[in-house]
Amino acid sequence: MKAMVLAAGLGTRLRPLTDNRPKALVTVGGRTLLEIALERLRGFGVREVIVNAHHFAEMICAYLEENGNFGMRMEVSREEELLDTGGGLKKAAWFFLEDGADLGKPFLVHNVDVISAIDLGEMVRAHEERGALATLAVQRRETSRPLVFDEEGRLRGRGAANQAAQTGMETLAFCGIHAISPRIFAKLDEEGAFSIVDAHVRLAAQGETIQGFRADGAYWRDLGRPEKVAQAEGELSGGANLV
């Protein structure tokens, strides 16, 4: 199975931790965020990974080489200009379409600055059972960017909780992890830098099956700020695990 780790961001919110290194190499519990993401993916059967890089890209390349690519095939997609999550994924399309790829076989996309115990294997199974174009790991929690899902768990757009409730739908928070079919690349009309979530919303409005995978009970943290890194440090040392 293949995967992409989105690691090209500047890590502005993580300063001063990212003053002299990329956010992918910020450490939690003695391990880098990149190592944590790669080890999680490998634990669910991923053996080929592409990582996008921009900020301190050379450090990421050197780190992977020093660690033997963590026992996987590794590619680095360098972005001279930041392409955001959607543009970065589109630039890496070749990796998922090479050698007569099976367009029905999904791949995983994982933000480098989130850690979780979400069952990625179960998410992929749910994705395949529904024949979805993309499946987003979601939770019921506070978020500034709520996504609206219908009773069948299909993405219907963005909106506030009260508006969604009036139509029998609910708002959920995206966890920065998706299972995606390679079929999506033929449908990404956007150019340059764009958000993959915005593309999901557009595709859902056009009738594509963009599914939510509920992960309410799973440990999850966004480590976009230094205080969140410190919080996760305490939780992991206190017994929280990512298995």
Side-chain angles (χ1 to χ4, degrees), residues 40 44 115-120 217-221 241-243:
R40 282 274 295 159
F44 285 97
I115 62 173
S116 82
I118 293 172
D119 190 332
L120 304 181
Y219 177 84
W220 177 90
R221 290 290 180 269
N241 66 69
L242 305 178
V243 176

Side-chain angles (χ1 to χ4, degrees), residues 42-122:
R42 189 172 64 178
F44 285 97
V46 172
R47 293 295 179 267
E48 299 178 79
V49 181
I50 189 165
V51 180
N52 66 340
H54 171 79
H55 186 50
F56 294 116
E58 291 294 343
M59 291 181 68
I60 290 177
C61 293
Y63 175 76
L64 291 170
E65 184 176 355
E66 290 165 4
N67 287 277
N69 292 329
F70 293 91
M72 296 182 284
R73 174 197 172 192
M74 296 292 308
E75 300 284 350
V76 176
S77 178
R78 292 171 179 257
E79 298 180 11
E80 297 303 318
E81 296 182 0
L82 285 172
L83 295 173
D84 204 342
T85 52
L89 176 61
K90 187 172 181 178
K91 185 177 188 295
W94 66 269
F95 180 74
F96 301 103
L97 298 175
E98 64 184 357
D99 301 328
D102 180 357
L103 297 184
K105 186 176 181 180
F107 58 89
L108 289 165
V109 177
H110 198 299
N111 289 3
V112 77
D113 55 0
V114 301
I115 62 173
S116 82
I118 293 172
D119 190 332
L120 304 181
E122 186 59 34

Side-chain angles (χ1 to χ4, degrees), residues 127-144:
H127 172 88
E128 293 176 325
E129 287 173 2
R130 294 300 299 267
L133 183 65
T135 298
L136 286 60
V138 292
Q139 293 179 329
R140 187 172 182 82
R141 53 179 166 76
E142 290 295 320
T143 178
S144 61

